[in-house]
Every structure is written in structure tokens, then in C-alpha cells.
Amino acid sequence: MQKTFQVGAKTFVLDQSKAEAAFAAKKVINGRETMTFNLLPLKYQWAYDLYRTMKANHWEPEDIPMGKDIEQWRDEKALSDVERWIIRMGIGYFSAAEGIVGDNVQHVVRELVTAPELKLVLGRHAHEENIHADSLLYMISSLGINPHECEAMFEDVPTIVGKNEFVTRISKDLRRDLDLTLSENKRLLAKNIFVFGQCMEGTQFYGLFGMILSLYRQNKFPGIGQMFRYTLRDESNHIEVFRNLFMDLVEENRDIWTAEFKEELRETMAEAVQLEKEFIRDCLPVNAVGLSLEDFLTYIDYIADRRLEGCGLAPLSSGAIKNPLPWLAEMMDIKKEQNFFEGRVTEYQKASSLNQASDDEL
Ligand code: FE
Ligand code: MN
């Protein structure tokens, strides 16, 4: 169908069938390559919806007061050695992990997908990893931790090294020219998306989320706890972005979805769970008040099975595991609270219309 526009002496003919063909060529991978970044018409509505949700959750680390945390950190008697160690492990692990995730989003996944709305949400995802990395910098400088100790942790604590290598391996595999029409290469990408979204952000982040937020529930490290709550809320969206991406990739490329590949993914999750449990044992070498090692280990089994099921894969455990930390999900539900921060979020959202508003007042 052609539509003609007559503007002055000029005539423009727009061909709608070409536009329809362009839409049909929108795909997760091997779609139409274009530099025009034309989002419309949307094919992956979920990507745009998640982009908007993520944007509405915007936060900045320096808006969170750290006074109480600093006071507790300096007070010899306020905290046990285990509690201090959990904070160090949290800062040490996440300082590396947030950067690794952001780097993989930018240099692997966002590079290889072709539909603009997928690139849009992945751009926001990468930016949120920058905010998370920045929040760790803010925690480190507030508590006065030597920045070199942080780098040392991801080189010298073997369970941190193990978790990091598990993900960087699959990221490196994709940093070369790949022919994505081959099933084996499509599987590499699908596995990368599964590992980062479901195994790492979806499972291996949750041991420390649980421990740090357990401390927060006991009024220890309120500032750090608040930042981790916002991070957890962001991560839940990242897990959804990668889960949808994974499902659509599989949907459009049925050749990769073999029994063998499904089993490979389940085994990969089992490895992730193993690494996380060893890491949790390092974070919590002795039981402390309100922190039960068994609960955190069980929680990892519980959450890993939820992630597998979310991707259409069979769980690892035969029996149904009960969630030992039901309060953790509530921690994410920040909207219920009327705290100082909600006002800030509203301000971020309104910022774009500020100029207009002040003009109106004058
Ligand atoms: Fe993050
Ligand atoms: Mn993330």
C-alpha cells in the first residue's frame, strides 16, 4: 500500500508494505540490521514495559544517609565479627559482580540482539549496573574501607574467584565473530543469557541479599540495607528482562531446544548452586544472631528451582522446597512504605516537566 503526501511542490510516496516487511524482520537475533533505532511498531512489548518500570524505579546512592552505618561500623561493641565480615564479603563480591554483569550486557547481549526495543531495555539494564557499582563505591568511601581491600577480595577469596570465573567464562566465549545462524552458536548465546539472568543475578546474588537484609531487619546497617533493597528490586527486573529474552530466543529458534541442551542448562544451574553454597559458607563461617546457615543454603535450592521453572526447565530438587526466608520477597516491595525516598523518586519522574511547570507559575 502506498500513501502519497503532497507538500507544496513536492510529492512524497511512502510505502507501507516496506514498513510491514521491516516489522516482520524484527527478531531477537539475525533480524534486520538498522541504525535508525526505530522502536515502532513494538514487537517485544514486554521489553518496552520493563524499560518503563525500571526507569520509574530510578535511585541514586548519595540520596541514602549513611550516618548510622558509619556510627555502627566505628563502634567496637555494636557489631560482631561475623556481621562485619558479611558486609566485607558483600562489598567485595558485588564490587566485581555488578561490573561483570554490566559489561556482558553491553558488549555481548546488547551487541548481538537486533530488535531496537531489546537494545533499549538492555541499555537501561547496563545503566542500572553502573548505579549499583557506584553504590558500592559510596558504601566503601562512607565506611572508610581501604579500596585496595576490595580488589584483593576478588583475587584472594577462592569462592569469589570461583563465582566470577563461572560467569566470565561464558561471557568470553561470545566475544569473537560468531555466526549466529549456527545452532551451536545460538546455544552459546542462550546459555549466556540463562547464566547471567537466572544463575548469577537470579540465584548467586541471593545468598548475600538474604544475609545483608537479615542484618537490616535487625537495624544493622540501615543505609547499606536500603541500597541493597533498591538493588534487589532492580535485579528482579533484570532477571525478568533476561528470562523474556531467553524465552523469545528459544521460541524463534526451536532448533536449539533439544533435550540435551535443556539438561546442559540444568547442570549449569547445579554448578551455580554449588558455587553459591560454598560462598555462603565463607560468608557465614559461624552461625550468628538471626542468621542460620541452613536457611540460606535451603533458600538457594528454593530460588534456583523457581528460576529453572521460569524458563520451562525441570527443577533440581525432587520434592517441593519451602521458602525458608519468606520475608525477603516483602523487602522488595518498597512502594508500601512512605519514606523519604519515595518523594525523591517522584522528583526524578517529574524532573522532565520541571521547566514547563516553572514557566507556568511565572
Ligand atoms: Fe546489579
Ligand atoms: Mn543486575
Side-chain angles (χ1 to χ4, degrees):
M1 201 182 88
Q2 294 195 333
K3 208 168 178 180
T4 308
F5 295 86
Q6 187 76 46
V7 187
K10 291 197 174 188
T11 308
F12 301 89
V13 181
L14 300 184
D15 188 343
Q16 198 179 322
S17 56
K18 264 192 209 156
E20 280 164 9
F23 177 74
K26 260 195 184 184
K27 291 202 181 89
V28 177
I29 52 167
N30 303 320
R32 178 169 169 254
E33 295 284 354
T34 166
M35 289 177 78
T36 54
F37 207 78
N38 191 4
L39 294 165
L40 293 172
L42 292 169
K43 182 162 183 182
Y44 303 95
Q45 183 70 43
W46 62 263
Y48 187 67
D49 293 344
L50 273 164
Y51 166 76
R52 292 186 57 91
T53 304
M54 289 158 80
K55 190 165 64 100
N57 286 346
H58 189 79
W59 61 284
E60 294 287 349
E62 54 276 17
D63 286 334
I64 293 154
M66 285 288 289
K68 190 89 188 151
D69 303 57
I70 296 166
E71 205 177 284
Q72 289 174 343
W73 189 253
R74 286 182 186 159
D75 181 351
E76 292 286 320
K77 280 167 270 163
L79 304 161
S80 68
D81 288 347
V82 180
E83 289 165 343
R84 282 175 202 278
W85 181 241
I86 288 171
I87 294 299
R88 280 189 191 275
M89 286 293 270
I91 288 173
Y93 170 67
F94 281 112
S95 291
E98 304 289 5
I100 294 170
V101 175
D103 195 71
N104 186 69
V105 169
Q106 272 184 293
H107 298 294
V108 176
V109 185
R110 195 182 177 283
E111 279 291 303
L112 295 176
V113 302
T114 48
E117 59 266 43
L118 299 178
K119 288 182 185 281
L120 177 81
V121 74
L122 289 166
R124 176 71 206 184
H125 184 168
H127 179 58
E128 290 184 0
E129 299 309 344
N130 285 341
I131 295 172
H132 299 169
D134 187 26
S135 76
L136 288 152
L137 187 148
Y138 179 59
M139 293 175 210
I140 290 166
S141 60
S142 302
L143 297 184
I145 292 174
N146 180 342
H148 294 289
E149 278 178 31
C150 199
E151 180 85 25
M153 287 197 82
F154 36 94
E155 279 168 18
D156 298 338
V157 179
T159 55
I160 294 184
V161 176
K163 279 173 78 177
N164 288 346
E165 279 177 359
F166 169 73
V167 289
T168 49
R169 212 161 61 205
I170 182 81
S171 193
K172 278 191 203 123
D173 281 350
L174 286 133
R175 290 173 200 233
R176 51 198 164 88
D177 262 335
L178 274 190
D179 178 356
L180 278 179
T181 62
L182 301 176
S183 300
E184 55 177 294
N185 290 340
K186 289 190 227 172
R187 277 192 201 102
L188 265 186
L189 176 62
K191 187 173 169 182
N192 175 293
I193 293 171
F194 177 78
V195 163
F196 273 88
Q198 309 309 311
C199 301
M200 188 196 196
E201 297 188 285
T203 304
Q204 296 188 323
F205 276 17
Y206 279 72
L208 273 171
F209 279 154
M211 286 179 258
I212 289 172
L213 293 174
S214 284
L215 295 177
Y216 172 80
R217 285 176 93 210
Q218 302 174 42
N219 297 317
K220 286 164 186 159
F221 302 106
I224 290 176
Q226 190 67 268
M227 279 187 262
F228 272 91
R229 290 182 73 190
Y230 287 116
T231 300
L232 175 59
R233 180 173 66 176
D234 293 340
E235 299 305 348
S236 70
N237 289 323
H238 302 170
I239 296 161
E240 244 342 73
V241 168
F242 268 43
R243 193 184 68 81
N244 280 294
L245 203 53
F246 176 85
M247 299 303 268
D248 281 351
L249 180 63
V250 169
E251 186 64 41
E252 293 175 12
N253 300 275
R254 298 305 290 180
D255 53 306
I256 69 172
W257 204 230
T258 59
E260 211 181 14
F261 185 52
K262 289 183 206 174
E263 203 40 44
E264 184 186 336
L265 295 178
R266 289 181 74 241
E267 277 163 23
T268 304
M269 180 58 97
E271 188 188 348
V273 167
Q274 205 47 47
L275 288 166
E276 182 59 9
K277 287 183 173 177
E278 284 163 26
F279 173 73
I280 289 173
R281 289 193 179 93
D282 272 0
C283 292
L284 202 56
V286 291
N287 276 317
V289 184
L291 298 161
S292 140
L293 177 64
E294 264 329 295
D295 281 356
F296 291 112
L297 298 179
T298 309
Y299 187 70
I300 296 309
D301 286 323
Y302 169 80
I303 202 102
D305 280 353
R306 299 291 82 74
R307 302 303 179 218
L308 285 167
E309 286 169 341
C311 292
L313 295 163
L316 294 168
S317 319
S318 45
I321 304 167
K322 272 190 69 183
N323 180 4
L325 310 173
W327 53 265
L328 197 51
E330 285 162 35
M331 277 278 167
M332 230 167 61
D333 200 358
I334 296 157
K335 282 181 207 115
K336 276 188 202 152
E337 277 172 36
Q338 281 305 311
N339 58 24
F340 79 96
F341 202 78
E342 286 311 299
R344 298 285 183 126
V345 174
T346 317
E347 277 170 36
Y348 293 132
Q349 288 169 345
K350 281 183 186 158
S352 57
S353 55
L354 262 187
N355 291 341
Q356 187 59 46
S358 53
D359 285 351
D360 289 347
E361 278 158 28
L362 291 172

